[in-house]
Amino acid sequence: QAGQQGLNLLIAQKIVDLEAKKQKITVTEAEIEEALTKYYDYYGGEESFTQIMAVRGTSLAEVKKNIVNTLKIKKLLEPKIKVTEEEMKAFFEKNKEDFAQKEQVKARHILVATEKEAKEIKEKLAKGEDFAALAKEYSLDESTKNNGGQLGFFNRGDMTPEFEKAAFALAVGEVSAPVKTEYGYHLIKVEEKKQAAAPDYEKSKAEIKEYLFNQKLQAEYNPWLQEVSKQYEIENFLTNAS
């Protein structure tokens, strides 16, 4: 069963390639990099994304190949898909609260077992040593230490109360005093802040349009694939014989 599914995927990719070639559709390196940047933002940076892909056993080359295939499909089906202003406004009104900007901070942290260790590392930071490098060397948080303690953006309520109170009170670039939580002692460095803001349709339009386009793309893809497949002679030699 998995073999048949894999073969169907390969056939679909081949048809997409042939149709893109027929219509002279290409994907530029700039478009690939733009798509990669969105992945990096979502996963908290390029280093974090690379590590997560490594854990999943996926190479950057495979990610790029998937991006190219997805962009070809988007360009092939774009003429069939229309997202209207009315649809975008209706979606915004229905999901308004999702477009409110919550107050957020982007931070790194170093987790150690004792306050003494935390103070010693704080002294190293005061002498100019690099926070990310010290996180890699000393942090007990296995999920973030190899990424220099990077936590990405988080909202109020996402972290333990003590950690949250300290992080949201810091100025950008500032490092906290040791913060005790149930996990140990943290040093927190805030890298960026986003202030809370009310939902704004104009600022959200591009995001809404992309979301609705992708919804319609998923609905259109299989019927389109079945239709264009008729133009090709496809010989399938995979059988269920053992």
Side-chain angles (χ1 to χ4, degrees), residues 7-8 17 28 52 57 72 88 94 101 114 129 134 137 139 146 148 166 172 174 226 234:
L7 182 58
N8 289 342
D17 288 341
T28 66
I52 290 167
K72 283 180 180 178
M88 290 192 288
K94 188 177 179 181
Q101 173 62 60
T114 67
E129 291 196 39
L134 290 171
E137 185 175 354
S139 185
N146 291 328
V172 173
E174 190 179 0
Q226 289 174 14
I234 301 169

Side-chain angles (χ1 to χ4, degrees), residues 49-66:
F49 173 76
T50 302
Q51 288 175 353
I52 290 167
M53 291 303 103
V55 169
R56 293 178 180 175
T58 304
S59 68
L60 183 60
E62 288 174 303
V63 173
K64 285 186 174 183
K65 186 177 177 182
N66 288 335

Side-chain angles (χ1 to χ4, degrees), residues 225-236:
L225 185 64
Q226 289 174 14
E227 187 60 35
V228 296
S229 295
K230 296 173 185 176
Q231 302 170 27
Y232 297 95
E233 184 181 345
I234 301 169
E235 291 185 88
N236 186 341

